[in-house]
Structures are given as C-alpha cells and as structure tokens.
Amino acid sequence: MDPWHCPSIPGHTLLERFGMTEIGMALSNPYQPIEKRVSGRVGGHYRVLKLWLYQILNLTLKGAVSCGHLRINGPTVVKEYFQRPDATRSQFD
C-alpha cells in the first residue's frame, strides 16, 4: 500500500508537517513531487527559519535520560505570549 494514500479519506494524499501556534508551519515534506516525501517524517524546515536541536540531559533516580529540544527563530515566530510575561521569559531568548 502507498504510505501517502489515506484510505479513510478517498482522493486525498497525506502531507506530514510540523508546526505550532507560536510559529505556524516550521517543517514540511515537499508538496510536489510526492515521490520526494519520506513517510513517517515531517520533512525539512522552511528557508526563512533557523532551527537548532539541543540535546538535554536530565538526571533522574533511574539514571540519565536525554531528550531533544527544538529552538526556532525567524520572521514567523511570535515575539511574546499575549499578556503572559512570565511564560515569555521562560520560553524566549
């Protein structure tokens, strides 16, 4: 079966992407040609954005656990959270 075919929505083809309220769309598989899409991945970043992936090491009682932290900068990123200076300080540089 074609991984891009969506049997629950006849006539539609999946386009995997990643985004959030604070930035809009950040990562996307190419729209055309479909052959360049990679199933199970969200694709590359938009050229107007700068992305950094930080490795974070968390020490727990069970040992060290690492996880990734994505940092994004560009013209589509919001400048602050509306009426939330505390959240803005904790999440934005």
Side-chain angles (χ1 to χ4, degrees):
M1 180 172 149
D2 177 5
W4 299 108
H5 175 68
C6 185
S8 62
I9 309 174
H12 291 271
T13 303
L14 292 177
L15 178 58
E16 294 178 85
R17 293 179 162 180
F18 169 80
M20 58 184 63
T21 303
E22 293 88 342
I23 60 171
M25 202 57 56
L27 306 168
S28 179
N29 266 295
Y31 182 70
Q32 292 289 341
I34 291 176
E35 298 79 32
K36 292 207 174 213
R37 296 182 188 175
V38 180
S39 181
R41 301 200 179 169
V42 292
H45 73 285
Y46 289 101
R47 291 186 179 131
V48 298
L49 299 174
K50 293 179 183 175
L51 280 73
W52 298 267
L53 183 61
Y54 286 88
Q55 194 71 9
I56 299 172
L57 187 63
N58 296 317
L59 299 176
T60 68
L61 294 175
K62 295 181 180 181
V65 177
S66 81
C67 62
H69 183 77
L70 185 64
R71 305 289 306 249
I72 302 172
N73 190 356
T76 61
V77 178
V78 298
K79 294 181 194 261
E80 62 187 356
Y81 288 112
F82 181 68
Q83 296 183 350
R84 295 282 318 276
D86 56 327
T88 299
R89 277 191 302 277
S90 72
Q91 298 298 316
F92 292 83
D93 290 336

